[in-house]
Amino acid sequence: MRMPFRGAATVVAIAFAALAGAANATTFTFQFDNSGGGPDGTIGTPIVGSGTFTTSAVLTPGLYALQSLPDYSMSYSFVNGDSFSTGDIATPLDGVALDVTSFGSGLRMVWTEVPGSPDADGGPQAGSLDLDNTAALTFEPTYFGGHNLYQIVGVYFGNYLALNGVVPEPATWAMMVLGLGMIGSFARRRRASVAAAT
């Protein structure tokens, strides 16, 4: 008679584990325009690329050396077919940092440098972060007059915006709804079995 309750407890534990897993990671979603540059913290049209940066660390506003972050990965793709990923990093990692700030109801991230590092701007394009494969993507140093400038050398130049919101991922919502539905089902079965026993 107690099995349904134990089953419900298991589902609750799984749902909370899913939420904890979602809370123990940070993903920034990138968009790139081809504006030639504009006001800091903005992005215009046309949008020519998108991407993500993810780490298993929970990030709050602050400056983070890239080397200090566990399990990070990045992926960027552009409408002309150029794409870049973690394996394309060409800048010495000890010179690369993330500057995370509050932005609306979420967070904003820009690539910057580790203060005082001898390898700051040490990539082939002298950017805060350079990624090279068949093309070169560089995130401009913040002292160039903006905190969100990038370029694909000879192709695109403009602003990027990397944001992390507070809304759970759709998969997390789905797990929660499924878990709550199963809890309701177990509770109904338990009530029915108690009623039948009396």
Side-chain angles (χ1 to χ4, degrees), residues 45 47 72 87-89 98 104 113 117 120 123 133 142 149 158 184 188 193:
T45 56
I47 302 296
Y72 65 84
D88 298 321
I89 296 174
L98 291 70
E113 295 119 354
S117 168
N133 51 38
T142 56
L149 295 173
R188 279 193 301 278
S193 63

Side-chain angles (χ1 to χ4, degrees), residues 5-105:
F5 182 74
R6 286 183 187 155
T10 301
V11 171
V12 170
I14 291 170
F16 278 110
L19 281 174
N24 290 329
T26 304
T27 297
F28 287 93
T29 302
F30 283 69
Q31 281 194 313
F32 299 85
D33 70 18
N34 194 28
S35 64
D40 186 47
T42 65
I43 192 162
T45 56
I47 302 296
V48 295
S50 61
T52 58
F53 173 83
T54 301
T55 176
S56 59
V58 177
L59 302 185
T60 57
L63 189 67
Y64 299 86
L66 182 60
Q67 278 189 323
S68 72
L69 298 177
D71 308 322
Y72 65 84
S73 65
M74 65 189 81
S75 176
Y76 307 112
S77 60
F78 292 82
V79 296
N80 71 337
D82 289 331
S83 62
F84 306 88
S85 63
T86 311
D88 298 321
I89 296 174
T91 310
L93 296 181
D94 61 357
V96 180
L98 291 70
D99 186 8
V100 178
T101 55
S102 296
F103 195 86
S105 63

Side-chain angles (χ1 to χ4, degrees), residues 93-140:
L93 296 181
D94 61 357
V96 180
L98 291 70
D99 186 8
V100 178
T101 55
S102 296
F103 195 86
S105 63
L107 298 173
R108 173 186 170 205
M109 183 266 274
V110 294
W111 289 109
T112 187
E113 295 119 354
V114 175
S117 168
D119 285 328
D121 290 341
Q125 307 301 326
S128 302
L129 174 68
D130 297 340
L131 297 100
D132 283 5
N133 51 38
T134 55
L137 168 62
T138 183
F139 294 87
E140 303 292 358

